[in-house]
């Protein structure tokens, strides 16, 4: 194959170079650069209510795990394959102090300690020598967070001011339906395609405005002036829109490592600091889901933030409607299971994307050099994280 | 593994050698030998009516493309992934002079020129520097033809006499339902398995005759005398059958590069030159579809040529009926997604297959030597291509 | 990736080593160690009634074959792809003395000899030079057995005393529905996961007893004393359970190479020698099925041995019921398509598994050294194989 200059000049698809993906940024498998970076942070892996006495399948960062809660209210997140002969603990039974494998009855507590081996002489005299692979978890904001990395690097699970400081009638609600993803709960493309969207305010007036009709507030429909800035945890995006009344609509969005969407309500129901945080959990390299925790006044408020298109939920739309009223799901899944970076062409409006990729690359270098990535804290007394995000109105 | 001579002598399946496929003949991906040969010719990629203001997915030679028609009646065939951030243009909107990507609104004309970048300062001062990968197309015979190869080698889109010279009440109709494929519109096996079938007249009295009942005319049911000959564009097959009335039924079929089926009506409604041409479009290495253009007197005549089996359309048959009344679909898909050439055993009756493979191999060698393959013309004034194909009756 | 000792000490899933499977034990493809060992034995590939004048697809040891019976009652088991041009003989027609390919009508007898080539001059003067790859078969016990290995190593098809010596009102019945597999006829995991289960008596009181409710007899619900011993054909498992009445329930189960389950009725309808044999046919590396032949008094007795769970057949259960009442299917498919041996931890109760793997390894070594594996006989006058298996009652 011999692509001539004239093919390049004409820009035909015949002149396309070999497609290439920056997998060091996209792949989350254990042992890969980004997989290791991801494993230096806590990730939500379920709603608090997902952990019950019925074992539940969880897939996170490409690993198959089983989630349960014993009768002492301890939550277990175990490697799915029993360390004895490999049968999934999904078919196990949860007992008072652990989960028992269906095949030969080995019982494990929530930290993987083997409590019983009923088929072994004397109940298993060597059972202390085996341990079911497990991960530490913590429950907060209605979510279960897991730490899947090296134990010596385990940071403190961060608290967030926007979920801690609230009005008297407010409370925190959690949601696992991928609010903000524009489609179903599990979205079949790489997590980074969505995460980059957080620092891309320019698509809003196009995709969510002129293109599909104003999916959000009319206030969002005009092209903003945008300033991007590095923050202690990621990238901050400040969008300014001049209002007809002479005031300024000032909107701040943040992307924070590892995968946090700190995005004020795009419907701009009020002018206030951000009311929720979304975590873009990479299920594996080609799918993700979003967990959200937010301050609400009524149960179900988070779910009611879900976008409609042409008056319908995503799953009720016809193929023709998806084509006519595309949203974030179509735009990001439409980039492919994992996008092809070699085909991209950036403009001024892609500065946020460039910054987030550079930031991720710097963190990979930090890890390679033995340093900690940004945003992790080992201080249990650290105050809750403050975000600047919000919708604000200002005098011009 | 140690296969003994006795295993070979007995011919058990244990003695089978490692399966091998001549992928240099079958694979159509860009950069492969056959992929490059294919890209020296025009291929139909849709009906003229497929190009509208609704973007349409096209897959050809393993490439994903988007077909549309702007308001100036110009047809665009663009690389599916937007050159900005990779979102498929399937979700784009067709405007007066181009198609606009749903994500950030970049607009491209039918030759991939970037007309607008609404999120960029001043509408994108560098927009002339990017170009959406595209392919040239031409509309003819109710079909849209694309040239997907190097621009310096672009031949003239050929005209065909059998579609140009016609009676007063005749007109040309196009069909995309894979008439002649014996099954559904998309056929899940390599294109070459079908293309070889064109130069295989011997299977007709077996597969379409004694085996499944006479699917075509009774005239086709007897074993012909056959002469194979190289033509300027491929292989010509002349079949002679002596009739009961002492006359001779003389049938000429042609396979022409790249993928043309020049096959007279097997139902032999009349004795005349061929009335249609079929193009076997490789969708990718493991599926193909057939576009047909033909002279007709009534709209829908092409579609009415579709074979029935046991009185039913292919898609209405039960599994038992497919087994009892197999046709071209079963015979060719039954060779596997891509056939295994190392297991073949040729006879005298396979001379056409041998010739077409040799012809293809010679074209690959021509390309490697910097020559043009047969059948391409760079003369815009070249007269329409004449085929010899037809059903004829002759005195003995 | 740098797993620290503390991660290993804590046993988190982060410390898991790279997963590894002993494919030399699991893979059955031709040319692999286990594939070659398997090919030194006869395997059932269908019920006797499966071989008719309608060609039938068979997949065994990863090979696609076509089974049929000609009008002289000869059974053919041919390589699925016709040796002419590769079309599957599934669409062929069975004639008096063979099967004819649908595409060009080549006809083969049950030993692959080519009888006709109707498209060739004079019916194919070279037809003796080609042979459709085939395998020798024998019909016995209502099953069709195939020998898929090197012809010089073909052993005698063994007879089994438990299927030869019977009471006056008994007869042998065959079943292909994977009785004993705990699920559907085709079970989507590696055959060895099931075969190992035969020498694992300890799982019975757990999986089939306390866990899912007593799926079998109450007599099976208690933990047995077990002795494992090598036998001339595999591994013998002797389980002793002391009864309330002071007697001893003595149960002997055998696993015999290549894949035989010699398992007395787990419902213990009577105290007697084993009444059936099961063959665990590897369809390929990731699926298997079980053929059974057994002595019965009424047609359908074998099928009536099928387990129910919570009063339902496997296929009628909800997902929640599968989770609550798992059986062999869930335990073995739950190990994955092919289990990961590097994650296993064996105990005393896994001695049978250790023995069967060592036995298989020794046979691989025997083959590599040019010796025959255990259990094969080349003596056509060898008496039927005697198994010790059965449920017995003994005085203490």
């Amino acid at each position: 194959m011999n692509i001539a200059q004239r093919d390049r000049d004409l820009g035909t698809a015949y002149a396309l170079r070999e497609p290439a993906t920056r997998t060091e940024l996209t792949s989350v498998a254990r042992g890969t650069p980004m997989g290791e970076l991801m494993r230096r942070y806590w990730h939500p892996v379920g709603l608090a209510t997902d952990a019950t006495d019925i074992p539940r399948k969880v897939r996170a960062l490409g690993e198959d795990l089983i989630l349960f809660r014993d009768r002492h209210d301890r939550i277990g997140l175990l490697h799915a394959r029993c360390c004895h002969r490999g049968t999934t603990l999904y078919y196990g039974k949860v007992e008072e102090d652990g989960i028992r494998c269906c095949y030969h009855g080995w019982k494990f507590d929530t930290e993987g300690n083997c409590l019983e081996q009923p088929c072994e002489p004397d109940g298993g005299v060597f059972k202390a020598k085996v341990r079911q692979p497990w991960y530490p978890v913590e429950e907060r904001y209605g979510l279960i967070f897991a730490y899947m990395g090296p134990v010596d690097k385990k940071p403190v699970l961060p608290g967030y001011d926007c979920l801690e400081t609230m009005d008297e009638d407010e409370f925190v609600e959690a949601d696992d339906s991928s609010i903000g993803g524009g489609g179903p709960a599990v979205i079949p493309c790489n997590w980074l395609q969505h995460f980059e969207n957080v620092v891309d305010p320019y698509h809003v007036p196009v995709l969510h405005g002129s293109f599909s009709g104003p999916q959000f507030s009319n206030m969002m429909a005009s092209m903003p002036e945008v300033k991007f800035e590095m923050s202690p945890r990621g990238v901050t995006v400040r969008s300014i829109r001049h209002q007809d009344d002479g005031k300024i609509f000032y909107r701040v969005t943040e992307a924070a490592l590892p995968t946090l969407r700190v995005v004020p309500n795009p419907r701009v129901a009020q002018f206030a600091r951000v009311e929720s945080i979304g975590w873009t959990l990479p299920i594996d390299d080609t799918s993700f889901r979003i967990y959200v925790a937010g301050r609400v006044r009524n149960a179900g408020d988070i779910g009611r933030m879900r976008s409609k298109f042409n008056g319908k939920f995503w799953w009720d739309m016809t193929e023709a409607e998806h084509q006519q009223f595309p949203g974030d799901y179509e735009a990001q899944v439409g980039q492919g299971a994992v996008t092809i970076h070699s085909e991209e062409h950036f403009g001024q409006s892609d500065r946020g994307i460039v910054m987030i990729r550079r930031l991720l690359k710097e963190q990979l270098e930090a890890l390679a050099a033995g340093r900690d990535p940004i945003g992790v804290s080992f201080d249990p007394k650290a105050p809750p994280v403050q975000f600047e995000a919000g919708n604000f109105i200002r005098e011009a």
Side-chain angles (χ1 to χ4, degrees), chain A:
Chain A
M1 195 173 175
N2 213 337
I3 296 164
Q5 187 56 43
R6 234 190 110 205
D7 294 303
R8 285 199 199 88
D9 292 345
L10 269 175
T12 67
Y14 182 75
L16 271 170
R17 54 183 146 174
E18 277 296 293
T21 291
R22 295 181 63 186
T23 52
E24 79 279 8
L25 295 185
T26 58
S27 179
V28 295
R30 197 163 51 106
T32 63
M34 184 55 68
E36 292 300 302
L37 176 57
M38 284 284 156
R39 280 167 178 77
R40 294 299 185 86
Y41 298 90
W42 291 83
H43 295 269
V45 296
L47 297 177
T49 51
D50 288 344
T52 70
D53 59 356
I54 310 279
R56 186 182 174 97
K57 294 180 186 175
V58 163
R59 189 164 163 81
L61 305 182
E63 299 186 37
D64 287 309
L65 306 165
I66 296 295
L67 178 70
F68 70 98
R69 187 187 298 260
D70 74 9
R71 305 283 154 87
H72 298 290
D73 204 26
R74 293 177 299 213
I75 296 171
L77 183 68
L78 304 185
H79 186 54
R81 299 171 47 84
C82 174
C83 67
H84 176 213
R85 295 284 315 287
T87 293
T88 174
L89 295 174
Y90 173 69
Y91 296 114
K93 284 218 190 320
V94 176
E95 303 191 354
E96 186 186 332
D97 53 352
I99 188 170
R100 188 184 294 280
C101 178
C102 74
Y103 205 179
H104 304 89
W106 288 20
K107 185 162 78 172
F108 308 101
D109 71 13
T110 57
E111 297 196 339
N113 297 295
C114 188
L115 307 179
E116 290 183 22
Q117 297 178 330
C119 302
E120 289 295 293
D122 303 316
V125 291
F126 298 112
K127 62 176 177 282
K129 296 205 169 193
V130 299
R131 193 152 176 181
Q132 178 63 19
W134 67 289
Y135 283 124
V137 292
E138 288 195 39
E139 196 172 335
R140 187 173 294 176
Y141 305 135
L143 297 169
I144 295 164
F145 289 86
Y147 177 72
M148 298 170 64
V151 65
D152 286 338
K153 305 291 188 179
K154 188 172 79 169
V156 169
L157 174 64
Y160 298 99
D161 182 72
C162 63
L163 301 176
E164 301 277 350
T165 307
M166 58 190 90
D167 289 347
E168 200 147 303
D169 58 345
E170 286 184 326
F171 60 98
V172 170
E173 182 179 47
D175 182 280
D176 67 349
S177 68
S178 291
I179 297 288
V186 174
I187 299 181
C189 73
N190 186 262
W191 66 280
L192 186 56
Q193 286 153 232
H194 181 80
F195 190 54
E196 290 178 347
N197 187 60
V198 177
V199 290
D200 179 359
Y202 292 104
H203 83 280
V204 174
V206 179
L207 180 65
H208 305 301
S210 60
F211 214 87
S212 296
Q215 290 175 0
F216 306 144
S217 162
N218 281 328
M219 292 184 67
M220 299 282 283
S222 64
M223 195 63 67
E225 295 165 29
V226 183
K227 287 198 178 126
F228 298 94
E229 199 175 320
M230 299 305 299
S231 78
R233 293 189 164 66
V235 172
T236 302
V237 183
R238 299 187 183 86
S239 300
I240 290 170
R241 288 175 173 89
H242 293 272
Q243 303 285 106
D244 290 341
D245 60 5
K247 293 183 176 169
I248 287 171
F249 168 34
Y250 179 67
R251 177 176 164 86
V252 182
T253 293
E254 294 181 68
L257 294 204
T259 68
L260 275 64
R261 305 164 31 91
V262 191
V263 179
N265 191 333
R267 278 187 205 76
V268 198
Q270 54 181 351
F271 295 106
R273 64 190 170 119
V274 70
E275 59 272 82
S276 70
I277 293 174
W279 288 262
T280 309
L281 176 73
I283 295 173
D284 48 31
D285 288 0
T286 55
S287 62
F288 70 92
R289 64 184 307 161
I290 303 171
Y291 288 97
V292 172
R295 299 190 320 275
V296 297
R297 288 194 157 78
N298 305 287
D301 274 355
I302 299 275
R304 279 186 283 272
M305 290 170 62
R306 174 169 291 284
S307 291
K308 290 191 176 184
F309 309 83
N310 199 27
K312 290 183 177 180
F313 285 120
W314 184 89
W315 38 80
D316 293 327
M317 296 166 79
T318 63
E319 177 64 16
E321 286 174 317
H322 284 298
Q323 205 179 1
Q324 198 178 349
F325 305 100
D328 282 322
Y329 178 94
E330 286 73 21
Q332 292 147 36
V333 175
Q335 293 173 317
V338 186
T339 197
I340 298 172
H341 296 109
S342 60
E343 295 187 358
E344 293 173 331
H345 292 82
F346 282 155
Q348 289 293 309
S349 52
D350 298 300
R351 291 194 309 284
I353 316 292
V354 172
M355 286 170 75
I356 205 99
R357 288 193 195 166
R358 189 191 310 135
L359 176 66
L360 287 170
K361 185 160 168 289
E362 287 166 359
Q363 306 317 305
L364 297 183
E365 290 164 359
L367 249 63
R371 298 194 307 273
D372 292 317
I374 63 165
V376 301
S377 165
F378 301 94
D379 175 7
K381 293 179 188 158
V385 170
Q386 297 271 359
F387 286 118
E388 183 191 333
N391 291 319
F392 307 102
I393 200 82
R394 287 186 177 174
E395 302 301 320

